[in-house]
PDB file of all heavy atoms in Angstrom:
ATOM      1  N   LYS D  26       4.626   1.972  31.273  1.00 60.00           N
ATOM      2  CA  LYS D  26       5.949   1.374  31.173  1.00 60.00           C
ATOM      3  C   LYS D  26       5.975   0.042  31.917  1.00 60.00           C
ATOM      4  O   LYS D  26       6.514  -0.948  31.422  1.00 60.00           O
ATOM      5  CB  LYS D  26       7.009   2.314  31.746  1.00 60.00           C
ATOM      6  CG  LYS D  26       7.257   3.539  30.914  1.00 60.00           C
ATOM      7  CD  LYS D  26       8.225   4.472  31.611  1.00 60.00           C
ATOM      8  CE  LYS D  26       8.345   5.796  30.880  1.00 60.00           C
ATOM      9  NZ  LYS D  26       9.220   6.727  31.580  1.00 60.00           N
ATOM     10  N   ALA D  27       5.388   0.024  33.106  1.00 54.00           N
ATOM     11  CA  ALA D  27       5.364  -1.191  33.923  1.00 54.00           C
ATOM     12  C   ALA D  27       4.570  -2.296  33.245  1.00 54.00           C
ATOM     13  O   ALA D  27       4.863  -3.476  33.391  1.00 54.00           O
ATOM     14  CB  ALA D  27       4.780  -0.885  35.302  1.00 54.00           C
ATOM     15  N   GLU D  28       3.544  -1.923  32.483  1.00 61.00           N
ATOM     16  CA  GLU D  28       2.713  -2.906  31.791  1.00 61.00           C
ATOM     17  C   GLU D  28       3.388  -3.453  30.531  1.00 61.00           C
ATOM     18  O   GLU D  28       2.885  -4.363  29.906  1.00 61.00           O
ATOM     19  CB  GLU D  28       1.368  -2.289  31.406  1.00 61.00           C
ATOM     20  CG  GLU D  28       0.492  -1.964  32.589  1.00 61.00           C
ATOM     21  CD  GLU D  28      -0.765  -1.197  32.206  1.00 61.00           C
ATOM     22  OE1 GLU D  28      -0.950  -0.891  31.004  1.00 61.00           O
ATOM     23  OE2 GLU D  28      -1.547  -0.889  33.106  1.00 61.00           O
ATOM     24  N   GLY D  29       4.501  -2.887  30.139  1.00 69.00           N
ATOM     25  CA  GLY D  29       5.216  -3.385  28.969  1.00 69.00           C
ATOM     26  C   GLY D  29       4.602  -2.982  27.646  1.00 69.00           C
ATOM     27  O   GLY D  29       4.773  -3.660  26.641  1.00 69.00           O
ATOM     28  N   ILE D  30       3.895  -1.861  27.619  1.00 73.00           N
ATOM     29  CA  ILE D  30       3.266  -1.418  26.378  1.00 73.00           C
ATOM     30  C   ILE D  30       4.316  -1.139  25.310  1.00 73.00           C
ATOM     31  O   ILE D  30       4.147  -1.475  24.142  1.00 73.00           O
ATOM     32  CB  ILE D  30       2.359  -0.190  26.621  1.00 73.00           C
ATOM     33  CG1 ILE D  30       1.138  -0.638  27.427  1.00 73.00           C
ATOM     34  CG2 ILE D  30       1.924   0.455  25.309  1.00 73.00           C
ATOM     35  CD1 ILE D  30       0.229   0.473  27.867  1.00 73.00           C
ATOM     36  N   GLY D  31       5.445  -0.571  25.712  1.00 74.00           N
ATOM     37  CA  GLY D  31       6.521  -0.317  24.752  1.00 74.00           C
ATOM     38  C   GLY D  31       7.009  -1.595  24.112  1.00 74.00           C
ATOM     39  O   GLY D  31       7.216  -1.657  22.897  1.00 74.00           O
ATOM     40  N   ILE D  32       7.166  -2.644  24.908  1.00 78.00           N
ATOM     41  CA  ILE D  32       7.600  -3.939  24.380  1.00 78.00           C
ATOM     42  C   ILE D  32       6.564  -4.478  23.394  1.00 78.00           C
ATOM     43  O   ILE D  32       6.911  -4.993  22.331  1.00 78.00           O
ATOM     44  CB  ILE D  32       7.824  -4.947  25.531  1.00 78.00           C
ATOM     45  CG1 ILE D  32       8.980  -4.501  26.420  1.00 78.00           C
ATOM     46  CG2 ILE D  32       8.043  -6.354  25.003  1.00 78.00           C
ATOM     47  CD1 ILE D  32      10.341  -4.549  25.766  1.00 78.00           C
ATOM     48  N   THR D  33       5.284  -4.348  23.717  1.00 83.00           N
ATOM     49  CA  THR D  33       4.221  -4.826  22.824  1.00 83.00           C
ATOM     50  C   THR D  33       4.285  -4.102  21.489  1.00 83.00           C
ATOM     51  O   THR D  33       4.213  -4.728  20.426  1.00 83.00           O
ATOM     52  CB  THR D  33       2.839  -4.618  23.473  1.00 83.00           C
ATOM     53  OG1 THR D  33       2.801  -5.371  24.683  1.00 83.00           O
ATOM     54  CG2 THR D  33       1.715  -5.043  22.553  1.00 83.00           C
ATOM     55  N   LEU D  34       4.421  -2.785  21.518  1.00 84.00           N
ATOM     56  CA  LEU D  34       4.474  -2.013  20.280  1.00 84.00           C
ATOM     57  C   LEU D  34       5.711  -2.370  19.460  1.00 84.00           C
ATOM     58  O   LEU D  34       5.637  -2.477  18.235  1.00 84.00           O
ATOM     59  CB  LEU D  34       4.434  -0.514  20.586  1.00 84.00           C
ATOM     60  CG  LEU D  34       3.113  -0.002  21.167  1.00 84.00           C
ATOM     61  CD1 LEU D  34       3.257   1.441  21.624  1.00 84.00           C
ATOM     62  CD2 LEU D  34       1.976  -0.155  20.184  1.00 84.00           C
ATOM     63  N   LEU D  35       6.829  -2.576  20.123  1.00 84.00           N
ATOM     64  CA  LEU D  35       8.045  -2.948  19.400  1.00 84.00           C
ATOM     65  C   LEU D  35       7.954  -4.357  18.830  1.00 84.00           C
ATOM     66  O   LEU D  35       8.479  -4.631  17.749  1.00 84.00           O
ATOM     67  CB  LEU D  35       9.264  -2.811  20.300  1.00 84.00           C
ATOM     68  CG  LEU D  35       9.643  -1.364  20.617  1.00 84.00           C
ATOM     69  CD1 LEU D  35      10.759  -1.324  21.642  1.00 84.00           C
ATOM     70  CD2 LEU D  35      10.031  -0.613  19.375  1.00 84.00           C
ATOM     71  N   LYS D  36       7.276  -5.247  19.532  1.00 88.00           N
ATOM     72  CA  LYS D  36       7.064  -6.605  19.017  1.00 88.00           C
ATOM     73  C   LYS D  36       6.254  -6.540  17.727  1.00 88.00           C
ATOM     74  O   LYS D  36       6.593  -7.173  16.723  1.00 88.00           O
ATOM     75  CB  LYS D  36       6.339  -7.451  20.054  1.00 88.00           C
ATOM     76  CG  LYS D  36       5.967  -8.829  19.572  1.00 88.00           C
ATOM     77  CD  LYS D  36       5.204  -9.583  20.644  1.00 88.00           C
ATOM     78  CE  LYS D  36       4.753 -10.930  20.139  1.00 88.00           C
ATOM     79  NZ  LYS D  36       3.982 -11.656  21.152  1.00 88.00           N
ATOM     80  N   ILE D  37       5.194  -5.746  17.730  1.00 92.00           N
ATOM     81  CA  ILE D  37       4.368  -5.605  16.535  1.00 92.00           C
ATOM     82  C   ILE D  37       5.169  -4.937  15.422  1.00 92.00           C
ATOM     83  O   ILE D  37       5.067  -5.325  14.253  1.00 92.00           O
ATOM     84  CB  ILE D  37       3.063  -4.846  16.867  1.00 92.00           C
ATOM     85  CG1 ILE D  37       2.214  -5.704  17.813  1.00 92.00           C
ATOM     86  CG2 ILE D  37       2.295  -4.492  15.592  1.00 92.00           C
ATOM     87  CD1 ILE D  37       1.028  -5.003  18.420  1.00 92.00           C
ATOM     88  N   ARG D  38       6.007  -3.970  15.774  1.00 92.00           N
ATOM     89  CA  ARG D  38       6.857  -3.314  14.764  1.00 92.00           C
ATOM     90  C   ARG D  38       7.785  -4.329  14.102  1.00 92.00           C
ATOM     91  O   ARG D  38       7.962  -4.329  12.881  1.00 92.00           O
ATOM     92  CB  ARG D  38       7.668  -2.200  15.406  1.00 92.00           C
ATOM     93  CG  ARG D  38       8.564  -1.484  14.415  1.00 92.00           C
ATOM     94  CD  ARG D  38       9.302  -0.366  15.088  1.00 92.00           C
ATOM     95  NE  ARG D  38      10.095   0.345  14.098  1.00 92.00           N
ATOM     96  CZ  ARG D  38      11.315   0.766  14.314  1.00 92.00           C
ATOM     97  NH1 ARG D  38      11.892   0.583  15.476  1.00 92.00           N
ATOM     98  NH2 ARG D  38      11.973   1.404  13.377  1.00 92.00           N
ATOM     99  N   GLU D  39       8.358  -5.224  14.891  1.00 92.00           N
ATOM    100  CA  GLU D  39       9.248  -6.245  14.336  1.00 92.00           C
ATOM    101  C   GLU D  39       8.488  -7.180  13.396  1.00 92.00           C
ATOM    102  O   GLU D  39       8.994  -7.556  12.337  1.00 92.00           O
ATOM    103  CB  GLU D  39       9.887  -7.047  15.469  1.00 92.00           C
ATOM    104  CG  GLU D  39      10.871  -8.087  14.967  1.00 92.00           C
ATOM    105  CD  GLU D  39      11.572  -8.791  16.103  1.00 92.00           C
ATOM    106  OE1 GLU D  39      12.497  -8.192  16.676  1.00 92.00           O
ATOM    107  OE2 GLU D  39      11.197  -9.937  16.402  1.00 92.00           O
ATOM    108  N   ILE D  40       7.262  -7.539  13.765  1.00 95.00           N
ATOM    109  CA  ILE D  40       6.450  -8.421  12.916  1.00 95.00           C
ATOM    110  C   ILE D  40       6.096  -7.710  11.607  1.00 95.00           C
ATOM    111  O   ILE D  40       6.135  -8.313  10.534  1.00 95.00           O
ATOM    112  CB  ILE D  40       5.203  -8.906  13.681  1.00 95.00           C
ATOM    113  CG1 ILE D  40       5.648  -9.827  14.831  1.00 95.00           C
ATOM    114  CG2 ILE D  40       4.224  -9.615  12.755  1.00 95.00           C
ATOM    115  CD1 ILE D  40       4.548 -10.172  15.816  1.00 95.00           C
ATOM    116  N   ILE D  41       5.777  -6.433  11.681  1.00 96.00           N
ATOM    117  CA  ILE D  41       5.466  -5.663  10.470  1.00 96.00           C
ATOM    118  C   ILE D  41       6.694  -5.611   9.554  1.00 96.00           C
ATOM    119  O   ILE D  41       6.578  -5.780   8.339  1.00 96.00           O
ATOM    120  CB  ILE D  41       4.966  -4.248  10.823  1.00 96.00           C
ATOM    121  CG1 ILE D  41       3.557  -4.353  11.414  1.00 96.00           C
ATOM    122  CG2 ILE D  41       4.989  -3.326   9.610  1.00 96.00           C
ATOM    123  CD1 ILE D  41       3.030  -3.066  12.006  1.00 96.00           C
ATOM    124  N   THR D  42       7.858  -5.409  10.131  1.00 95.00           N
ATOM    125  CA  THR D  42       9.089  -5.391   9.333  1.00 95.00           C
ATOM    126  C   THR D  42       9.288  -6.727   8.622  1.00 95.00           C
ATOM    127  O   THR D  42       9.640  -6.761   7.438  1.00 95.00           O
ATOM    128  CB  THR D  42      10.300  -5.062  10.234  1.00 95.00           C
ATOM    129  OG1 THR D  42      10.082  -3.781  10.826  1.00 95.00           O
ATOM    130  CG2 THR D  42      11.592  -5.036   9.441  1.00 95.00           C
ATOM    131  N   LYS D  43       9.043  -7.828   9.319  1.00 96.00           N
ATOM    132  CA  LYS D  43       9.145  -9.160   8.704  1.00 96.00           C
ATOM    133  C   LYS D  43       8.120  -9.331   7.589  1.00 96.00           C
ATOM    134  O   LYS D  43       8.393  -9.974   6.579  1.00 96.00           O
ATOM    135  CB  LYS D  43       8.938 -10.256   9.748  1.00 96.00           C
ATOM    136  CG  LYS D  43      10.089 -10.447  10.670  1.00 96.00           C
ATOM    137  CD  LYS D  43       9.778 -11.568  11.661  1.00 96.00           C
ATOM    138  CE  LYS D  43      10.884 -11.761  12.653  1.00 96.00           C
ATOM    139  NZ  LYS D  43      10.555 -12.824  13.629  1.00 96.00           N
ATOM    140  N   ALA D  44       6.939  -8.767   7.773  1.00 97.00           N
ATOM    141  CA  ALA D  44       5.881  -8.880   6.771  1.00 97.00           C
ATOM    142  C   ALA D  44       6.221  -8.100   5.507  1.00 97.00           C
ATOM    143  O   ALA D  44       5.897  -8.523   4.393  1.00 97.00           O
ATOM    144  CB  ALA D  44       4.552  -8.391   7.351  1.00 97.00           C
ATOM    145  N   ILE D  45       6.876  -6.974   5.661  1.00 97.00           N
ATOM    146  CA  ILE D  45       7.209  -6.103   4.531  1.00 97.00           C
ATOM    147  C   ILE D  45       8.427  -6.593   3.760  1.00 97.00           C
ATOM    148  O   ILE D  45       8.517  -6.428   2.536  1.00 97.00           O
ATOM    149  CB  ILE D  45       7.416  -4.652   5.027  1.00 97.00           C
ATOM    150  CG1 ILE D  45       6.093  -4.074   5.522  1.00 97.00           C
ATOM    151  CG2 ILE D  45       8.015  -3.774   3.939  1.00 97.00           C
ATOM    152  CD1 ILE D  45       6.232  -2.738   6.234  1.00 97.00           C
ATOM    153  N   GLU D  46       9.371  -7.201   4.432  1.00 97.00           N
ATOM    154  CA  GLU D  46      10.661  -7.551   3.818  1.00 97.00           C
ATOM    155  C   GLU D  46      10.546  -8.378   2.534  1.00 97.00           C
ATOM    156  O   GLU D  46      11.245  -8.083   1.565  1.00 97.00           O
ATOM    157  CB  GLU D  46      11.564  -8.260   4.832  1.00 97.00           C
ATOM    158  CG  GLU D  46      12.985  -8.393   4.354  1.00 97.00           C
ATOM    159  CD  GLU D  46      13.619  -7.076   3.902  1.00 97.00           C
ATOM    160  OE1 GLU D  46      13.398  -6.032   4.540  1.00 97.00           O
ATOM    161  OE2 GLU D  46      14.336  -7.101   2.877  1.00 97.00           O
ATOM    162  N   PRO D  47       9.675  -9.396   2.452  1.00 97.00           N
ATOM    163  CA  PRO D  47       9.567 -10.132   1.180  1.00 97.00           C
ATOM    164  C   PRO D  47       9.141  -9.243   0.005  1.00 97.00           C
ATOM    165  O   PRO D  47       9.603  -9.441  -1.120  1.00 97.00           O
ATOM    166  CB  PRO D  47       8.511 -11.198   1.470  1.00 97.00           C
ATOM    167  CG  PRO D  47       8.539 -11.378   2.946  1.00 97.00           C
ATOM    168  CD  PRO D  47       8.875 -10.034   3.506  1.00 97.00           C
ATOM    169  N   LEU D  48       8.309  -8.259   0.265  1.00 97.00           N
ATOM    170  CA  LEU D  48       7.888  -7.342  -0.801  1.00 97.00           C
ATOM    171  C   LEU D  48       9.054  -6.480  -1.271  1.00 97.00           C
ATOM    172  O   LEU D  48       9.158  -6.164  -2.453  1.00 97.00           O
ATOM    173  CB  LEU D  48       6.733  -6.456  -0.321  1.00 97.00           C
ATOM    174  CG  LEU D  48       5.444  -7.191   0.026  1.00 97.00           C
ATOM    175  CD1 LEU D  48       4.444  -6.239   0.674  1.00 97.00           C
ATOM    176  CD2 LEU D  48       4.860  -7.847  -1.202  1.00 97.00           C
ATOM    177  N   ARG D  49       9.919  -6.117  -0.354  1.00 95.00           N
ATOM    178  CA  ARG D  49      11.119  -5.357  -0.730  1.00 95.00           C
ATOM    179  C   ARG D  49      12.074  -6.245  -1.520  1.00 95.00           C
ATOM    180  O   ARG D  49      12.639  -5.816  -2.516  1.00 95.00           O
ATOM    181  CB  ARG D  49      11.805  -4.802   0.507  1.00 95.00           C
ATOM    182  CG  ARG D  49      10.996  -3.698   1.169  1.00 95.00           C
ATOM    183  CD  ARG D  49      11.652  -3.210   2.397  1.00 95.00           C
ATOM    184  NE  ARG D  49      12.988  -2.712   2.074  1.00 95.00           N
ATOM    185  CZ  ARG D  49      13.639  -1.820   2.784  1.00 95.00           C
ATOM    186  NH1 ARG D  49      13.109  -1.335   3.863  1.00 95.00           N
ATOM    187  NH2 ARG D  49      14.836  -1.432   2.436  1.00 95.00           N
ATOM    188  N   SER D  50      12.245  -7.487  -1.063  1.00 95.00           N
ATOM    189  CA  SER D  50      13.146  -8.427  -1.754  1.00 95.00           C
ATOM    190  C   SER D  50      12.686  -8.708  -3.170  1.00 95.00           C
ATOM    191  O   SER D  50      13.498  -8.821  -4.089  1.00 95.00           O
ATOM    192  CB  SER D  50      13.240  -9.741  -0.982  1.00 95.00           C
ATOM    193  OG  SER D  50      13.816  -9.532   0.276  1.00 95.00           O
ATOM    194  N   GLU D  51      11.366  -8.814  -3.351  1.00 96.00           N
ATOM    195  CA  GLU D  51      10.790  -9.078  -4.672  1.00 96.00           C
ATOM    196  C   GLU D  51      10.700  -7.821  -5.521  1.00 96.00           C
ATOM    197  O   GLU D  51      10.260  -7.867  -6.661  1.00 96.00           O
ATOM    198  CB  GLU D  51       9.380  -9.660  -4.508  1.00 96.00           C
ATOM    199  CG  GLU D  51       9.336 -10.985  -3.784  1.00 96.00           C
ATOM    200  CD  GLU D  51       7.920 -11.353  -3.319  1.00 96.00           C
ATOM    201  OE1 GLU D  51       6.981 -10.551  -3.532  1.00 96.00           O
ATOM    202  OE2 GLU D  51       7.786 -12.426  -2.740  1.00 96.00           O
ATOM    203  N   LYS D  52      11.080  -6.683  -4.952  1.00 95.00           N
ATOM    204  CA  LYS D  52      11.015  -5.377  -5.618  1.00 95.00           C
ATOM    205  C   LYS D  52       9.579  -4.948  -5.955  1.00 95.00           C
ATOM    206  O   LYS D  52       9.359  -4.140  -6.847  1.00 95.00           O
ATOM    207  CB  LYS D  52      11.908  -5.348  -6.854  1.00 95.00           C
ATOM    208  CG  LYS D  52      13.346  -5.755  -6.567  1.00 95.00           C
ATOM    209  CD  LYS D  52      14.305  -4.725  -7.053  1.00 95.00           C
ATOM    210  CE  LYS D  52      15.745  -5.178  -6.879  1.00 95.00           C
ATOM    211  NZ  LYS D  52      16.301  -5.012  -5.587  1.00 95.00           N
ATOM    212  N   THR D  53       8.606  -5.504  -5.202  1.00 95.00           N
ATOM    213  CA  THR D  53       7.229  -5.039  -5.316  1.00 95.00           C
ATOM    214  C   THR D  53       7.129  -3.624  -4.769  1.00 95.00           C
ATOM    215  O   THR D  53       6.363  -2.804  -5.262  1.00 95.00           O
ATOM    216  CB  THR D  53       6.274  -5.975  -4.541  1.00 95.00           C
ATOM    217  OG1 THR D  53       6.446  -7.308  -5.035  1.00 95.00           O
ATOM    218  CG2 THR D  53       4.830  -5.559  -4.680  1.00 95.00           C
ATOM    219  N   ILE D  54       7.923  -3.365  -3.726  1.00 96.00           N
ATOM    220  CA  ILE D  54       8.045  -2.022  -3.152  1.00 96.00           C
ATOM    221  C   ILE D  54       9.524  -1.718  -2.986  1.00 96.00           C
ATOM    222  O   ILE D  54      10.357  -2.625  -2.945  1.00 96.00           O
ATOM    223  CB  ILE D  54       7.323  -1.891  -1.790  1.00 96.00           C
ATOM    224  CG1 ILE D  54       7.939  -2.847  -0.761  1.00 96.00           C
ATOM    225  CG2 ILE D  54       5.836  -2.113  -1.943  1.00 96.00           C
ATOM    226  CD1 ILE D  54       7.532  -2.565   0.661  1.00 96.00           C
ATOM    227  N   GLY D  55       9.842  -0.441  -2.871  1.00 94.00           N
ATOM    228  CA  GLY D  55      11.220  -0.063  -2.634  1.00 94.00           C
ATOM    229  C   GLY D  55      11.461   0.331  -1.187  1.00 94.00           C
ATOM    230  O   GLY D  55      12.545   0.181  -0.657  1.00 94.00           O
ATOM    231  N   SER D  56      10.428   0.833  -0.533  1.00 95.00           N
ATOM    232  CA  SER D  56      10.548   1.360   0.818  1.00 95.00           C
ATOM    233  C   SER D  56       9.316   0.980   1.624  1.00 95.00           C
ATOM    234  O   SER D  56       8.218   0.830   1.069  1.00 95.00           O
ATOM    235  CB  SER D  56      10.671   2.883   0.738  1.00 95.00           C
ATOM    236  OG  SER D  56      10.312   3.498   1.944  1.00 95.00           O
ATOM    237  N   SER D  57       9.482   0.877   2.927  1.00 96.00           N
ATOM    238  CA  SER D  57       8.326   0.568   3.780  1.00 96.00           C
ATOM    239  C   SER D  57       7.281   1.687   3.734  1.00 96.00           C
ATOM    240  O   SER D  57       6.106   1.451   4.005  1.00 96.00           O
ATOM    241  CB  SER D  57       8.776   0.321   5.215  1.00 96.00           C
ATOM    242  OG  SER D  57       9.386   1.470   5.775  1.00 96.00           O
ATOM    243  N   LEU D  58       7.686   2.898   3.371  1.00 96.00           N
ATOM    244  CA  LEU D  58       6.727   4.002   3.269  1.00 96.00           C
ATOM    245  C   LEU D  58       5.786   3.843   2.069  1.00 96.00           C
ATOM    246  O   LEU D  58       4.805   4.573   1.960  1.00 96.00           O
ATOM    247  CB  LEU D  58       7.460   5.339   3.176  1.00 96.00           C
ATOM    248  CG  LEU D  58       8.196   5.756   4.456  1.00 96.00           C
ATOM    249  CD1 LEU D  58       8.994   7.029   4.197  1.00 96.00           C
ATOM    250  CD2 LEU D  58       7.229   5.957   5.608  1.00 96.00           C
ATOM    251  N   GLU D  59       6.063   2.880   1.211  1.00 97.00           N
ATOM    252  CA  GLU D  59       5.204   2.627   0.061  1.00 97.00           C
ATOM    253  C   GLU D  59       4.038   1.693   0.397  1.00 97.00           C
ATOM    254  O   GLU D  59       3.301   1.296  -0.496  1.00 97.00           O
ATOM    255  CB  GLU D  59       6.026   2.040  -1.086  1.00 97.00           C
ATOM    256  CG  GLU D  59       7.050   3.007  -1.640  1.00 97.00           C
ATOM    257  CD  GLU D  59       7.908   2.408  -2.743  1.00 97.00           C
ATOM    258  OE1 GLU D  59       7.503   1.400  -3.357  1.00 97.00           O
ATOM    259  OE2 GLU D  59       8.993   2.956  -2.988  1.00 97.00           O
ATOM    260  N   VAL D  60       3.879   1.358   1.688  1.00 98.00           N
ATOM    261  CA  VAL D  60       2.783   0.473   2.076  1.00 98.00           C
ATOM    262  C   VAL D  60       1.958   1.052   3.208  1.00 98.00           C
ATOM    263  O   VAL D  60       2.410   1.907   3.966  1.00 98.00           O
ATOM    264  CB  VAL D  60       3.279  -0.941   2.486  1.00 98.00           C
ATOM    265  CG1 VAL D  60       4.032  -1.612   1.357  1.00 98.00           C
ATOM    266  CG2 VAL D  60       4.090  -0.912   3.759  1.00 98.00           C
ATOM    267  N   ASP D  61       0.734   0.555   3.288  1.00 97.00           N
ATOM    268  CA  ASP D  61      -0.149   0.742   4.430  1.00 97.00           C
ATOM    269  C   ASP D  61      -0.285  -0.625   5.075  1.00 97.00           C
ATOM    270  O   ASP D  61      -0.250  -1.645   4.382  1.00 97.00           O
ATOM    271  CB  ASP D  61      -1.540   1.201   3.994  1.00 97.00           C
ATOM    272  CG  ASP D  61      -1.534   2.539   3.276  1.00 97.00           C
ATOM    273  OD1 ASP D  61      -0.604   3.336   3.479  1.00 97.00           O
ATOM    274  OD2 ASP D  61      -2.485   2.781   2.500  1.00 97.00           O
TER     275      ASP D  61
END
Side-chain angles (χ1 to χ4, degrees):
K26 290 175 188 177
E28 292 173 359
I30 290 174
I32 295 292
T33 299
L34 292 171
L35 289 173
K36 175 182 176 182
I37 294 170
R38 180 178 183 221
E39 182 175 282
I40 293 169
I41 288 171
T42 300
K43 286 180 182 178
I45 293 171
E46 192 53 40
L48 296 172
R49 290 178 59 155
S50 296
E51 298 165 358
K52 306 233 185 279
T53 304
I54 62 166
S56 159
S57 62
L58 292 175
E59 294 178 20
V60 301
D61 298 336

